[in-house]
Amino acid sequence: MDFTDVSLTALRVFRAVAEQGTFTAAAASLGYTQSAVSRQIASIERVAGAELLERKRGGVRLTAAGRVVMRRATVVLDAIDATARDLSGLPEQGGTVRLGWVPSAGTTLVPHALAALRRSDPGVHVVSREGGTPALVRALRAGSIDLALLSSAPPFRAPDDESPPLELQTLTERALCLAVPAAHPLARGDFVDVADLRGQRWIAGSSSGADRLMGVWPGLDERPEIAHTARDWLAKLHLVAAGCGLTTVSCALAPAAPPGVRILPVRGGPQELRRLLLARLPEPPAEPVVRLAAALRAAALADDIDTIPNP
């Protein structure tokens, strides 16, 4: 069958399942029965000739083919919705959304999402601020921000234990990587073996408290040598470029790496995964919040940086 025969209803159902994470949640959000959702997903997969959703015990996950369809479906559905607003003579959806984000989200995802939102919904005004996950969670609880992009490391517990629990959605899950000076012996290959990290000099986070070891590879069986400390990720990367040491880095920061830095995966030990979460309070969101959340989800899908670039 020709994929151009796919209906808009099937695309909307597919997007809802991908965003909600389960068939049950998607059915509830759309007002459909679960069997109706299942039929729509079966029809779109049949036309695509590929499995678009990986079914797991805890929900569903987009396959590689599913990510392709999702990126295109988002463009098509957003265009249809915008056309419907224009034809009905409705004013542009407006309002202000307050967004908080961890530094790793600020290199590509947040700028791409805001640029897309300006094109699709110019009436939505976004004010944002950078912060660490604990501070952003407190800001959400206090009502000073509406949405937050949070980081999470294994064992992936909830960001706090307050009630009611925050509404969380995983936008990305990627392996922690290593920033290495381009002239360093470890930069000669396409990956770094974890055994070769012993005895290295490190560029870490703040100079005191629990953040002091942020930037050091987790689980090293030695007391690491902290050569420099810096809060700012770009400052850390420039110190790496200057040959001052190594630091851990989210692969999302790879596009921001200055010349003289290689961003490499680490092998030989347990994989260190990091998640980027979209968080909000568990209450019905305002329409501008819904639109920004959709733009962030679309940007996370579009910013496909699973392959780490090497300067």
Side-chain angles (χ1 to χ4, degrees):
M1 294 179 66
D2 191 337
F3 196 78
T4 58
D5 293 332
V6 170
S7 69
L8 289 176
T9 298
L11 289 179
R12 291 188 189 280
V13 170
F14 174 68
R15 182 169 68 173
V17 173
E19 291 179 352
Q20 298 291 334
T22 68
F23 282 53
T24 301
S29 69
L30 295 169
Y32 293 171
T33 64
Q34 188 167 338
S35 60
V37 168
S38 297
R39 286 195 299 272
Q40 291 292 338
I41 296 300
S43 71
I44 197 171
E45 287 186 324
R46 184 167 58 253
V47 173
E51 187 178 67
L52 304 180
L53 296 167
E54 181 183 358
R55 279 77 165 172
K56 293 193 168 186
R57 180 177 298 177
V60 299
R61 188 179 202 170
L62 287 168
T63 63
R67 288 194 294 271
V68 172
V69 173
M70 184 64 173
R71 283 197 294 269
R72 302 301 186 186
T74 297
V75 173
V76 170
L77 294 174
D78 287 350
I80 291 295
D81 291 342
T83 301
R85 289 197 303 271
D86 291 343
L87 291 175
S88 65
L90 292 176
E92 292 288 345
Q93 296 290 334
T96 297
V97 188
R98 301 160 300 168
L99 172 68
W101 41 276
V102 292
S104 61
T107 54
T108 56
L109 192 148
V110 170
H112 289 175
L114 296 185
L117 190 68
R118 282 197 301 271
R119 293 191 297 268
S120 64
D121 294 279
V124 176
H125 178 59
V126 179
V127 293
S128 73
R129 71 195 224 197
E130 180 187 283
T133 291
L136 294 177
V137 170
R138 291 192 296 269
L140 273 176
R141 293 290 186 187
S144 58
I145 57 176
D146 305 300
L147 283 173
L149 292 166
L150 311 176
S151 61
S152 180
F156 301 121
R157 297 189 180 95
D160 68 5
D161 56 4
E162 293 190 27
S163 183
L166 296 175
E167 292 284 340
L168 301 172
Q169 182 178 19
T170 299
L171 296 186
T172 63
E173 180 178 284
R174 300 190 176 99
L176 188 67
C177 291
L178 196 69
V180 183
H184 195 285
L186 293 180
R188 294 171 184 165
D190 293 329
F191 64 91
V192 175
D193 193 290
V194 70
D196 293 330
L197 297 181
R198 300 188 83 255
Q200 300 293 338
R201 303 174 79 230
W202 296 92
I203 301 164
S206 59
S207 58
S208 62
D211 289 339
R212 185 172 186 273
L213 295 182
M214 185 178 294
V216 177
W217 190 258
L220 290 182
D221 58 351
E222 64 175 357
R223 183 182 180 86
E225 178 187 354
I226 308 298
H228 303 277
T229 61
R231 290 182 180 273
D232 181 71
W233 280 107
L234 190 57
K236 287 183 181 181
L237 290 174
H238 278 286
L239 286 168
V240 172
C244 298
L246 315 179
T247 195
T248 58
V249 65
S250 165
C251 64
L253 291 171
V261 177
R262 291 199 70 196
I263 308 297
L264 297 171
V266 177
R267 298 183 185 175
Q271 191 178 35
E272 289 289 337
L273 296 176
R274 297 294 183 270
R275 289 178 181 171
L276 182 66
L277 306 176
L278 180 61
R280 64 173 177 82
L281 291 174
E283 56 191 32
E287 184 63 23
V289 175
V290 172
R291 293 185 177 278
L292 174 57
L296 290 166
R297 288 191 291 267
L301 286 166
D303 289 347
D304 188 1
I305 52 174
D306 292 334
T307 300
I308 306 299
N310 294 318

